[in-house]
Amino acid sequence: MRDINPVLLRELRGRLRTPRSYWLLCGALFLVSSISLLIYSAEYASMNGQPTFNGSSGHTVFLSLVVTALVVVTAIAPIMAAGSISGERERQTFDLIVLTQLRPIDIVLGKTAATFAYCLLFVTALTPFMAITFLIGGVDIGELAMMYVIIMSTAFLYTCIGVYWSTRTQTAITATGYALATILGVLLVLPVLVLVLPEVLPGWIDDSTTTWRQLMLAIHPYATIIFTQDAIRMSTVWTNQYTIFGVTVAGPAMWVLSVAVSWFWSCVCSILSIRRLTPPTIKGAS
Amino acid sequence: MIEFRSVSKSYGNTHALVSLSCVIPRGATVGLIGPNGSGKTTALRLLTTLITPTSGDIIVDGLSVCADPTHVRQRIGYMPDTFGVYESMTATEYLDFYARCGTMAPAQRSAIIPSMLARVGLSDAAQTAVMSLSRGMAQRLSLGRALLHNPDILVLDEPASGLDPRARIELRTLLHALHDEGKTIFISSHILSDLADLCTHMLILEHGKTVAYDTLANMTRFTQQQSISVALTHPAPTIIDVAATCGYSTHPTATDPLRFDLTGSTLAADRAALLRALLAADIPVHTFAPQEAALEQAFLQMTSTDQHMQETPHA
């Protein structure tokens, strides 16, 4: 049987043996549950104290959980991943790993999997809170699964971005800065572009459909959640109609597209990370 | 065999290493000495493939560090000057991690790790957290890690730095044993007395340039003092005349009126004749000791003092 990736094993051991991980997890869960409780309380108050076991309230609480979980993942995935390789450089342990027989792909996969595993732990720990929304009602298992897939794809992409910057920088703080700047740049700039582009390029953008918006925002998990709510309301969970140059074609639903785009960019980041760690060979050297 | 072929390394306009060329025979223990910033660590990092040369190449058992770094790495065990620490890891887990990284099978790992801990004298610290090991123990663990995959070549950057005398002696004993096993060892160190004891060859660098590369015997012969230290049991002024008849000059030492330095021929026969003459003249000789060649003196003679003066302007 093939051994578990040693980098993954070491990272998991190191991370789970320190109290920092437990406190971080506790803090994240406290944040998510607090925000959900606040929103439920607001819903309850708006019903004039009447019991709110209806679909609307359950769905609102569910969405607040999903968005808060996404915010937490947006923060912890790049921050943890950014310190993975640059942190080894700071501790002066990176040279020793590079000199072993581990391939660059093993190092990158180990580091990526370790951070992703922590995000998975967080999302798994969130499950009991998600389950409460079933008691209230308004959420089905399909939607829950869909949101889990979006959150985990986002976590994976942001982890890969963090690891990529980690391979490029000497210190964890620099890598974290670059990773957060990249992610926040995409999250903040894309919606602005969506608003501004029809004004700037009126002849180029067909503003009568939402297709170009959906395609541009496919990398934006928060926008994906909003568009997916529309799709769920219209019961078009798996497919979507896209109008391109006046032609309407059926395509995958926005969330499927978003997941595919996330995985594509995750692969790009991972390949770039592996290339960064591959020792340069000088052809023709004797 | 390791061959440096006109290896140079530059960082922008800074030339860290300039055209280093030398051939290191298999089984040699090479001491790398030089002032701070002379290019020692650069030379070691080039050999370990951690950095690539700006020009030239290093051939390790027929493999080029430029063209085939992956295979070169399999032959080299590297012990850096700093001991990188992983939190919450025991000494056993530390070695297990690197053994796994070396794609060692579980059965092989479980056999080699206890024996490696025993070899570096850390069996009692097997379950001790790496963070809490003393500097000497950490250095030995680091050496154990470097030896895990049984490399032919060991590259040690300042292995004795910061060690107490006992730890230094233990490390030296371990390195002697490794030399006896036929491993080629590269050691960079500022502790010249350790190098003089360990090394078969010396490479002296200064400002990135090669000052000297030779066997230790040849290098110290170059600066060998042509003097004999003679100590008397009581004063005997005639020693000057007797030594002069044998062709030796006598120089009293400043610290001890009964001790003299005699300079002249370094031939063993001439020195034996001098001793016989002293005894025949009833000179009360207590000790008669030809001065040993000193690596420190070779180093001081071969390297300039500019660097030191620049670093310690108030000295």
Side-chain angles (χ1 to χ4, degrees), chain A residues 57-248:
Chain A
S57 301
H59 202 256
T60 307
V61 173
F62 171 73
L63 276 183
S64 70
L65 275 171
V66 167
V67 171
T68 317
L70 206 51
V71 169
V72 171
V73 159
T74 303
I76 63 171
I79 290 172
M80 285 186 130
S84 57
I85 289 170
S86 49
E88 296 265 8
R89 287 200 179 102
E90 283 181 313
R91 286 194 300 268
Q92 296 178 309
T93 50
F94 184 66
D95 287 349
L96 302 179
I97 293 184
V98 166
L99 290 177
T100 64
Q101 289 176 48
L102 276 186
R103 298 166 301 168
I105 190 172
D106 296 323
I107 300 171
V108 170
L109 286 183
K111 295 289 184 186
T112 306
T115 303
F116 185 67
Y118 191 80
C119 292
L120 196 63
L121 178 67
F122 165 67
V123 173
T124 307
L126 209 60
T127 304
F129 296 99
M130 294 283 194
I132 292 172
T133 62
F134 281 95
L135 290 176
I136 306 170
V139 184
D140 65 41
I141 192 81
E143 188 178 357
L144 179 68
M146 205 185 299
M147 292 304 154
Y148 266 124
V149 171
I150 292 170
I151 292 170
M152 292 321 297
S153 300
T154 306
F156 189 62
L157 173 61
Y158 291 172
T159 299
C160 292
I161 290 172
V163 170
Y164 168 68
W165 282 114
S166 194
T167 61
R168 287 193 66 97
T169 54
Q170 295 297 317
T171 61
I173 192 86
T174 316
T176 305
Y178 280 125
L180 287 177
T182 306
I183 291 163
L184 292 178
V186 170
L187 291 180
L188 299 177
V189 170
L190 275 181
V192 173
L193 281 179
V194 165
L195 289 174
V196 168
L197 276 182
E199 306 296 328
V200 178
L201 303 168
W204 290 77
I205 304 287
D206 177 11
D207 205 23
S208 61
T209 73
T210 59
T211 296
W212 70 275
R213 287 196 184 93
Q214 292 185 4
L215 292 178
M216 273 192 78
L217 293 172
I219 194 74
H220 198 297
Y222 298 90
T224 302
I225 288 172
I226 294 167
F227 278 106
T228 304
Q229 294 308 308
D230 292 340
I232 290 168
R233 268 196 297 276
M234 291 185 288
S235 299
T236 53
V237 172
W238 292 101
T239 57
N240 191 19
Q241 299 294 318
Y242 295 98
T243 305
I244 301 167
F245 299 116
V247 181
T248 301

Side-chain angles (χ1 to χ4, degrees), chain A residues 1 3-4 6-7 9-11 13-14 17-18 20 88 91-102 111 277 279-286, chain B residues 5 45 48-50 52-53 57 59 64 66-67 69 73-74 78 80 82 84-89 93-94 97-98 100-104 106 109 145:
Chain A
M1 196 179 80
D3 263 357
I4 187 170
V7 176
L9 186 67
R10 196 204 66 71
E11 289 280 321
R13 267 184 186 159
R17 278 181 186 176
T18 56
R20 198 169 49 218
E88 296 265 8
R91 286 194 300 268
Q92 296 178 309
T93 50
F94 184 66
D95 287 349
L96 302 179
I97 293 184
V98 166
L99 290 177
T100 64
Q101 289 176 48
L102 276 186
K111 295 289 184 186
L277 297 189
T281 53
I282 301 167
K283 303 285 182 208
S286 59
Chain B
R5 292 181 180 169
R45 289 175 68 82
T48 54
T49 76
L50 286 169
T52 49
D57 199 357
I59 307 300
S64 157
C66 296
R73 287 173 180 181
Q74 291 171 9
Y78 176 52
T82 52
V85 174
Y86 287 120
E87 288 177 32
S88 313
M89 216 180 212
E93 285 170 349
Y94 180 82
F97 168 62
Y98 285 102
R100 283 172 186 269
C101 290
T103 62
M104 238 177 238
R109 284 202 307 269
R145 176 198 48 70

